[in-house]
Amino acid sequence: MFKGTVVSLYVAPAAEAEMQMIEAAHAVPGLGLEGDRYFQQTGTFSRPQPDRELTLIESEAIEAFRSELGLEVDTGFSRRNIVTRDVPLNHLVGREFLIGEVRVRGLKLCEPCKHLARISRPEVLPGLVHRGGLRAQILTEGTIRPGAVVSEG
């Protein structure tokens, strides 16, 4: 069992647009987070698929990336929607869990790709391998905020 928290939330209004930190996100099954490029079907890889609804990354992975590579990056550089703390994301593939009031299912790891390296930083390819986060499907509608508890449900 684990109990972590949401550190921060991000959306981008269009493909390759800068990630914007937000105070609350309305999660909708089958669509994603309102205001995000994939919710609006304007993301680079937009197509209606559950693994495009929500992405998460551990703040610990971002901190390790900063430390190992000596780079100053904000938490939005990874282009993931939710930054967590004390949540073992790699272990949640195939499992349901709660983010505040929202139930989600971990689908697969969100490994860094050449597209992310091109629009973010080239160092993400070696720096976030196997710790680039999790792709998840939203199962129930609700609002997610920083400070929300992330736990097995």
Side-chain angles (χ1 to χ4, degrees):
M1 296 293 285
F2 69 91
K3 185 176 176 183
T5 57
V6 171
V7 174
S8 53
L9 300 165
Y10 292 90
V11 295
E16 301 187 18
E18 186 175 329
M19 296 297 283
Q20 300 170 354
M21 187 183 292
I22 57 175
E23 291 301 314
H26 185 200
V28 181
L31 295 173
L33 300 180
E34 282 186 15
D36 190 56
R37 62 212 183 272
Y38 289 104
F39 183 93
Q40 300 172 61
Q41 296 296 305
T42 60
T44 301
F45 302 102
S46 283
R47 53 189 178 271
Q49 287 184 272
D51 70 346
R52 301 288 181 213
E53 293 177 21
L54 185 65
T55 56
L56 302 94
I57 190 166
E58 299 170 10
S59 59
E60 296 88 347
I62 294 170
E63 291 162 7
F65 177 86
R66 288 176 181 150
S67 175
E68 291 167 8
L69 298 174
L71 297 172
E72 281 302 315
V73 293
D74 67 26
T75 53
F77 90 98
S78 67
R79 301 194 61 80
R80 306 302 187 242
N81 300 120
I82 299 177
V83 179
T84 65
R85 178 163 301 286
D86 298 325
V87 180
L89 294 175
N90 285 13
H91 301 288
L92 296 177
V93 173
R95 295 172 65 183
E96 289 186 16
F97 59 101
L98 291 169
I99 305 172
E101 64 185 36
V102 178
R103 180 171 293 282
V104 301
R105 177 182 298 119
L107 297 179
K108 64 183 181 180
L109 297 183
C110 194
E111 296 288 5
C113 64
K114 290 179 184 177
H115 175 72
L116 175 62
R118 184 178 62 77
I119 64 173
S120 177
R121 298 190 70 105
E123 297 90 350
V124 300
L125 285 173
L128 291 180
V129 169
H130 306 313
R131 59 184 181 188
L134 178 71
R135 294 187 177 281
Q137 178 182 18
I138 299 167
L139 302 176
T140 61
E141 188 169 347
T143 301
I144 301 169
R145 290 182 172 79
V149 172
V150 182
S151 63
E152 291 183 279

